[in-house]
Amino acid sequence: MELTNIKADFPLLVNRKIAYLDSGATTQKPFPVINAINEFYKNYNANPHRGAYSLSMEATEIYENTRTKIAKFINAKHREEIIFSKNATESLNLIAYSYGLENLKKNDEIVISIMEHHSNLVPWQKVAKTTGAKLNYMYINDEFEISDEEIQNKITDKTKIVGITHVSNVLGTINNIDKIIKYAHKKGAIVIVDASQSIPHMKIDVQKLDADFLVFSGHKMLAPLGIGVLYGKKELLNNMTPFLMGGDMIEYVHEQTTTYAPLPNKFEAGTQNVEGVIGLGSAIDYIENIGYDKIHEIEAEIVGYAIEKLSKIDYLTLYLTPNREHHSSVISFNIKGVHPHDVASILDNYGVCVRSGNHCAQPLLRSMGIDSTCRASFYFYNTKEDVDKLLEALDKAYKIFEKYITNSAKKS
Amino acid sequence: MEDLTDVYNELIMEHSMNSYNKKKLDSADYCQIGHNPNCGDEITLELKLNDNIIEDMAFSGHGCAISQASTSIMIDTLKGKTLDEAKEIIKTFIGMIKREITDEEELKKLEDAIAFKNVSNMPARVKCALLAWHTIEDILNKN
Ligand SMILES: Cc1ncc(COP(=O)(O)O)c(C=O)c1O
């Protein structure tokens, strides 16, 4: 693949001429993904699994082939371990309801990290409340990382479920999920990995990790909105009850009773998002075509450049591990004494898109003693020019506020 | 491109950074929290009535410059007004931000709060400008 002008593959980036630094929220989509969806509706649209005619069979085939592609992509042992969902949030809810509620008892422990997205946190509060289990947190140290001691202090013999985000959507910290999974397994707990922020950037191998469940959203990795994946070990999924009931997930339906379809259909009730699945398949092709090594190389250069420049600016606070190799492509920062919402508005005015707020991680920010940050998140289509635009816009924002920022705020 | 100095103007900035209205009242008749879960802005409004006149108001809390300044300027504008006058001003302010009221004559009653007119061009900031006004609406609706 010709890498000199990746941006040209992303029509929105060409049309809008913005520095899009919010890929952590959702990525832009390249032509091949957009075209694949277009092609599906022009030539293949039918309801999969439901028609005896060849068009429906073809739609089914594309849908099921993509399942196989995803299984290979994350190295799942069996293709039926891949369940399609709406997004990471739905995948996590499925696990909480169909595994958590069914398997936890009073005094069991659920351990999650303080850096979880609300979608890997709020469902566990519900499970804890309903089952009487306890919800415990692994906290971060001064380097915005979870230390080995913290892992060993919080995961105990009572722990049944560990939920951990692979990469923090606020800090960019790459958690040592290898270690967490090994330790949790030693203690007899299963581990749920939230790969939403990692799979766009790094190779995931569920067998090598020995993850029990792993979830992600397609839209953060070039695919359309509204398609997500749940990976679960076959023996776990087989023993779980369905999450949603309805068409396609059944075997026999009688007036009072139903038997369920085998995996994966058991967890795919109702007409599925075939357009999303096809877009996700095409997104995976695109990523594999560039290659994770190349993606890493590009991002390391751009993010490294951004960190180098940003860390020299006195008026900024960065929330970032000093260990580069533990950091992915998200940078949270604040202009001292200025609210991030104002900063983001001003950056927007200069064509720079960053997110501001609590990033669906209120407990994390509270534990850090702040309510919100600005967050710039990068993907391989970003360039050093985007970083320069960010730096210039930050200077402009600071200038607007400079004379009003009180001395006390400056110091904080 | 919006001219940012229209929004981040002298008046708004002064109020947002060091507002004299950011304090506690000795005896408030009403105390109401306003919260914007998306951005985390949170204010607590205190209000003291004398008959049907707003005798005093104050606020505490945290948030962006727009929400803080809007709260402070709202307090300046509504202090000394009757409840009916206040309700009318609140309705006008909300109408201005939502671009439902554009008539200059009508907007005059907003006094300093007219400084937020250009926020109506920034959809992402409308909620910030309205936080305090919705919060006081909640108080007055209880009355
Ligand atoms: C780490 C993490 N987990 C989960 C989610 C939820 O993703 P979605 O909103 O697509 O379900 C996000 C994205 O916002 C995320 O960053």
Side-chain angles (χ1 to χ4, degrees):
Chain A
M1 164 160 209
E2 183 53 65
L3 290 171
T4 48
N5 197 2
I6 294 177
K7 241 179 197 172
D9 268 357
F10 291 79
L12 183 137
L13 298 176
V14 174
N15 296 339
R16 299 295 293 257
K17 302 196 172 42
I18 46 172
Y20 183 76
L21 301 180
D22 198 18
S23 295
T26 196
T27 60
Q28 296 305 334
K29 320 304 173 196
F31 273 120
V33 170
I34 296 167
N35 292 344
I37 298 164
N38 202 348
E39 177 66 13
F40 170 71
Y41 283 116
K42 282 198 292 197
N43 290 310
Y44 299 97
N45 177 47
N47 198 323
H49 301 300
R50 290 196 183 168
Y53 48 90
S54 52
L55 185 64
S56 171
M57 302 298 286
E58 282 172 55
T60 309
E61 194 177 312
I62 304 175
Y63 181 77
E64 291 301 332
N65 285 349
T66 308
R67 191 190 309 280
T68 309
K69 180 181 287 182
I70 295 167
K72 283 196 186 123
F73 182 59
I74 62 170
N75 194 30
K77 198 161 170 191
H78 310 283
R79 61 185 298 284
E80 62 272 26
E81 293 178 322
I82 305 298
I83 312 290
F84 290 118
S85 67
K86 197 158 71 191
N87 46 37
T89 302
E90 192 184 49
S91 300
L92 290 163
N93 274 273
L94 191 160
I95 305 167
Y97 275 80
S98 295
Y99 186 87
L101 284 179
E102 303 265 332
N103 288 286
L104 289 198
K105 305 181 304 299
K106 199 167 170 4
N107 297 327
D108 284 344
E109 290 174 0
I110 304 165
V111 175
I112 62 177
S113 86
I114 194 70
M115 54 172 98
E116 295 314 304
H117 189 278
H118 294 160
S119 64
N120 199 20
L121 189 159
V122 183
W124 300 114
Q125 289 178 341
K126 159 106 186 171
V127 171
K129 204 161 177 204
T130 311
T131 61
K134 230 178 135 216
L135 179 58
N136 292 334
Y137 287 87
M138 296 185 281
Y139 293 94
I140 54 173
N141 60 21
D142 292 346
E143 300 193 327
F144 305 103
E145 295 188 28
I146 298 168
S147 69
D148 292 353
E149 300 79 65
E150 185 68 3
I151 296 169
Q152 291 173 11
N153 285 337
K154 295 300 165 68
I155 301 176
T156 71
D157 294 327
K158 286 186 178 168
T159 308
K160 294 292 179 298
I161 293 178
V162 175
I164 182 74
T165 190
H166 191 178
V167 168
S168 160
N169 68 320
V170 179
L171 307 168
T173 302
I174 305 172
N175 286 312
N176 192 342
I177 54 169
D178 232 356
K179 191 160 236 156
I180 290 172
I181 292 171
K182 282 207 180 78
Y183 193 73
H185 284 169
K186 213 165 86 187
K187 295 285 174 185
I190 62 120
V191 181
I192 299 151
V193 176
D194 178 356
S196 303
Q197 294 290 345
S198 60
I199 200 163
H201 309 282
M202 58 194 82
K203 175 78 190 156
I204 300 288
D205 183 330
V206 288
Q207 290 191 73
K208 200 161 140 211
L209 283 172
D210 201 19
D212 299 287
F213 295 101
L214 183 136
V215 306
F216 57 94
S217 280
H219 70 90
K220 294 184 198 286
M221 51 173 294
L222 310 178
L225 298 162
I227 185 68
V229 169
L230 161 67
Y231 159 82
K233 283 182 182 163
K234 196 172 165 182
E235 53 284 14
L236 291 171
L237 291 173
N238 268 332
N239 287 325
M240 283 156 59
T241 50
F243 175 50
L244 299 171
M245 321 283 160
D248 291 332
M249 51 75 69
I250 47 82
E251 188 184 36
Y252 293 107
V253 179
H254 301 281
E255 285 188 20
Q256 302 295 336
T257 56
T258 291
T259 53
Y260 304 125
L263 292 176
N265 302 50
K266 180 166 109 175
F267 290 108
E268 292 178 3
T271 300
Q272 295 296 300
N273 179 3
V274 185
E275 137 186 358
V277 168
I278 285 166
L280 178 56
S282 169
I284 288 174
D285 290 342
Y286 193 93
I287 286 172
E288 290 195 316
N289 210 349
I290 298 187
Y292 275 117
D293 287 345
K294 190 74 196 173
I295 290 173
H296 180 76
E297 189 188 315
I298 299 168
E299 290 184 8
E301 185 169 339
I302 293 159
V303 178
Y305 176 69
I307 291 174
E308 184 201 319
K309 294 283 184 184
L310 291 170
S311 44
K312 285 191 189 131
I313 301 176
D314 283 339
Y315 60 76
L316 289 185
T317 307
L318 302 191
Y319 307 95
L320 182 77
T321 167
N323 308 311
R324 261 308 271 135
E325 71 280 15
H326 298 168
H327 179 262
S328 181
S329 304
V330 174
I331 304 174
S332 266
F333 59 88
N334 273 325
I335 295 185
K336 293 170 193 163
V338 183
H339 196 277
H341 206 176
D342 295 310
V343 176
S345 268
I346 296 166
L347 298 191
D348 178 39
N349 206 60
Y350 293 103
V352 178
C353 308
V354 300
R355 187 169 168 187
S356 68
N358 60 52
H359 316 295
C360 304
Q362 288 181 21
L364 170 65
L365 295 202
R366 204 171 291 120
S367 82
M368 291 161 63
I370 51 178
D371 342 284
S372 54
T373 69
C374 291
R375 179 187 78 175
S377 51
F378 298 84
Y379 209 20
F380 59 81
Y381 44 59
N382 287 120
T383 58
K384 284 190 177 170
E385 286 75 54
D386 293 333
V387 178
D388 290 337
K389 263 180 139 177
L390 168 68
L391 297 167
E392 274 167 43
L394 277 172
D395 263 342
K396 298 212 164 107
Y398 180 66
K399 292 236 161 65
I400 291 178
F401 279 86
E402 191 176 11
K403 70 174 171 173
Y404 303 99
I405 299 173
T406 55
N407 287 330
S408 62
K410 254 186 205 164
K411 273 182 239 136
S412 77
Chain B
M1 192 192 280
E2 188 72 22
D3 182 357
L4 284 168
T5 51
D6 281 353
V7 174
Y8 292 99
N9 56 45
E10 192 82 27
L11 181 74
I12 289 182
M13 295 298 262
E14 283 298 345
H15 274 273
S16 78
M17 288 298 172
N18 336 286
S19 171
Y20 44 81
N21 291 320
K22 202 164 187 172
K23 59 178 187 207
K24 286 256 163 219
L25 293 186
D26 290 334
S27 61
D29 297 308
Y30 296 94
C31 178
Q32 176 85 26
I33 292 177
H35 183 213
N36 202 338
N38 276 338
C39 43
D41 289 5
E42 189 179 288
I43 53 156
T44 304
L45 268 187
E46 289 184 317
L47 186 147
K48 188 171 163 51
L49 280 182
N50 181 358
D51 251 353
N52 72 334
I53 292 179
I54 297 176
E55 187 175 292
D56 207 359
M57 279 173 88
F59 80 106
S60 57
H62 53 80
C64 63
I66 310 271
S67 75
Q68 299 293 293
S70 173
T71 309
S72 181
I73 292 173
M74 177 186 84
I75 290 174
D76 280 359
T77 310
L78 297 183
K79 241 196 304 195
K81 301 286 192 297
T82 67
L83 291 177
D84 283 341
E85 285 166 343
K87 281 180 186 163
E88 188 54 32
I89 292 171
I90 294 163
K91 214 172 84 194
T92 308
F93 185 86
I94 296 173
M96 172 182 80
I97 298 292
K98 293 186 169 167
R99 285 204 225 176
E100 288 157 8
I101 300 174
T102 50
D103 180 52
E104 294 288 338
E105 271 311 305
E106 218 178 315
L107 294 180
K108 273 197 183 137
K109 65 166 91 79
L110 294 179
E111 303 172 13
D112 276 356
I114 204 164
F116 291 93
K117 188 153 177 262
N118 289 307
V119 173
S120 64
N121 300 324
M122 301 170 82
R125 307 313 297 278
V126 162
K127 272 192 178 164
C128 314
L130 291 183
L131 178 62
W133 300 79
H134 282 316
T135 309
I136 192 160
E137 243 190 344
D138 286 346
I139 297 178
L140 300 188
N141 285 340
K142 280 193 223 158
N143 205 263

